[in-house]
Amino acid sequence: MNIPRQYGSRFLAALAVAALAAALPLARTSAQQTSTQQAPAKQQSPNGKIVFQSTQGGDGFINDIFVMDADGKHQTRLTDTPTFDEVVPVWSPAGNQIVFQTDRGGNGYELYLMNADGSSQRPLRSAANGGPVTGSSVEWSPDGTRIAYSDGHDVYVIEVVAPGGGDSTAAPFSVSAEKAATTSDIEAAWSPSGHQLVVRNAIPNCSGCTDLYTVNADSSPGRVHLATGPGFDVHARWSPSGTLVAYEGDRGGRGIYVTNADGTGAETKVSGAAGSFGTVEWAPDGTRLAFKSANSGVYVVNPDGSGLTLLTDLPADGGGDIFWSPDGAKVAFHNSGGSTVDLYVVASDGSSRKAANYTKTKRDDEFACSWQRLQ
């Protein structure tokens, strides 16, 4: 997931205030427990809610975490720290926990956990182990027991659940041991099996140049070069079947590409003349890909490049994510209709190009969303 504007100039003033306030005690409600004691997550039935970061809390450009129903109603604030950022929330696969990043601990952006209703907010690790986190690539393993993240140099895997329940205290470990010493692994995505990750590797002395590799999630040897372009290869996403990887690549122009996950065969450009501008995401059933056009609008396409369909010509913000509803019926994206960014949702079958504005805050930004899986 991306964190648009999180580290930009709009937030520097707020982060400066946060640094001054770090030494002061913070008021906490019952929904903001930061106790380091193990607190097992409440087992709640997933219901397809959307979790997102927003500046609508009235604290300037400080982000908090909100949830809303699958139809955009009942927006509810889960975090409330007026001088600290809470960003990049991601639902656990079971839908009962949310991992997010926050700088409330005073050590940069660290990983925190909370239950689906915002209760039991606590650090996943101390700064020495769980942060600071760099960038927005934070992902749960498919079985919900681990999280992958980057510190800006390596990709780490961290255990979430201890044997017998509760939060794990096991130290995270790097899966980047085989990378070239002068390079950095800065983004990761899990394979459906949970046995591998595809990582984005930044190349030194080449502005914006990145390649893709697969690595073993247990840190054992087996790094495989997956995609190499003249410019960059980014935002890799594994297909639900585990056989393909989709990503955005620069081949004299940005586009969406698909290649075999084992590194064999040639890549296929699937975005056609539409180009691309940002993330790509597989439909839950793996039959289609959704992406943002380089020109404007949101498209879906089949993994072989056929069936390219414009869903809406409402421009998608280049910094925001694109993601599917759990049933595959809708695609969500971000649009800056002026100076602010709202979350929009459109039908994925192309039956109507009218996208619905779900957040409608007008004065604030909504970014980094995740849709709770239905079970």
Side-chain angles (χ1 to χ4, degrees):
M1 304 181 80
N2 293 333
I3 318 179
R5 312 187 191 191
Q6 177 191 341
Y7 302 113
S9 60
R10 295 180 68 180
F11 295 107
L12 291 180
L15 293 177
V17 173
L20 292 174
L24 300 176
L26 296 176
R28 294 282 187 253
T29 66
S30 60
Q32 290 175 264
Q33 301 296 321
T34 56
S35 170
T36 57
Q37 296 179 352
Q38 294 182 4
K42 296 179 179 179
Q43 298 301 313
Q44 300 181 5
S45 297
N47 58 4
K49 287 189 175 182
I50 300 171
V51 65
F52 60 101
Q53 72 181 58
S54 175
T55 59
Q56 65 180 266
D59 305 321
F61 289 112
I62 300 298
N63 286 280
D64 284 300
I65 305 301
F66 289 74
V67 293
M68 61 182 167
D69 293 343
D71 59 2
K73 297 179 180 178
H74 304 119
Q75 295 183 38
T76 303
R77 188 175 185 173
L78 298 184
T79 67
D80 187 2
T81 53
T83 55
F84 298 104
D85 252 355
E86 273 84 42
V87 295
V88 197
V90 185
W91 287 110
S92 65
N96 64 329
Q97 290 196 90
I98 298 167
V99 66
F100 62 100
Q101 296 180 41
T102 178
D103 61 344
R104 68 172 72 163
N107 296 300
Y109 285 85
E110 301 174 80
L111 297 178
Y112 272 56
L113 293 173
M114 63 180 166
N115 294 334
D117 61 359
S119 63
S120 190
Q121 294 179 27
R122 73 275 190 194
L124 177 59
R125 294 292 188 277
S126 65
N129 291 323
V133 177
T134 299
S136 58
S137 178
V138 176
E139 286 204 11
W140 294 84
S141 63
D143 64 2
T145 64
R146 295 159 292 166
I147 289 174
Y149 68 94
S150 174
D151 68 351
H153 300 286
D154 286 9
V155 165
Y156 286 85
V157 170
I158 190 167
E159 297 289 338
V160 179
V161 182
D167 292 346
S168 173
T169 58
F173 56 88
S174 171
V175 296
S176 299
E178 294 181 281
K179 69 177 176 60
T182 56
T183 66
S184 299
D185 286 345
I186 55 176
E187 186 181 38
W190 289 91
S191 68
S193 69
H195 297 318
Q196 290 180 293
L197 295 152
V198 58
V199 299
R200 172 162 57 119
N201 181 254
I203 304 168
N205 304 316
C206 181
S207 178
C209 297
T210 58
D211 285 346
L212 300 177
Y213 293 80
T214 57
V215 298
N216 292 328
D218 62 0
S219 76
S220 62
R223 189 178 179 99
V224 175
H225 207 165
L226 185 65
T228 304
F232 60 74
D233 295 296
V234 296
H235 310 315
R237 307 301 298 171
W238 224 297
S239 69
S241 68
T243 60
L244 301 172
V245 173
Y247 51 94
E248 184 183 32
D250 179 9
R251 309 289 185 267
R254 301 169 71 154
I256 301 301
Y257 292 82
V258 173
T259 194
N260 292 333
D262 62 4
T264 63
E267 64 183 11
T268 300
K269 184 178 181 181
V270 300
S271 54
S276 66
F277 192 57
T279 58
V280 57
E281 192 65 55
W282 291 89
D285 64 3
T287 59
R288 293 174 294 167
L289 291 157
F291 66 96
K292 295 173 287 187
S293 167
N295 302 314
S296 64
V298 176
Y299 285 79
V300 292
V301 67
N302 298 328
D304 62 0
S306 65
L308 183 65
T309 303
L310 175 66
L311 299 185
T312 177
D313 51 13
L314 187 69
D317 189 280
D321 289 324
I322 192 165
F323 56 105
W324 293 78
S325 62
D327 60 3
K330 298 176 181 178
V331 171
F333 62 98
H334 303 83
N335 170 263
S336 51
S339 59
T340 61
V341 179
D342 281 318
L343 172 68
Y344 285 77
V345 173
V346 66
S348 67
D349 61 3
S351 59
S352 173
R353 291 186 182 179
K354 184 177 181 180
N357 187 340
Y358 268 28
T359 49
K360 304 176 184 176
T361 54
K362 297 182 180 180
R363 299 184 304 276
D364 304 292
D365 288 340
E366 279 77 34
F367 272 121
C369 303
S370 174
W371 211 314
Q372 189 182 35
R373 191 173 65 183
L374 294 171
Q375 290 186 346

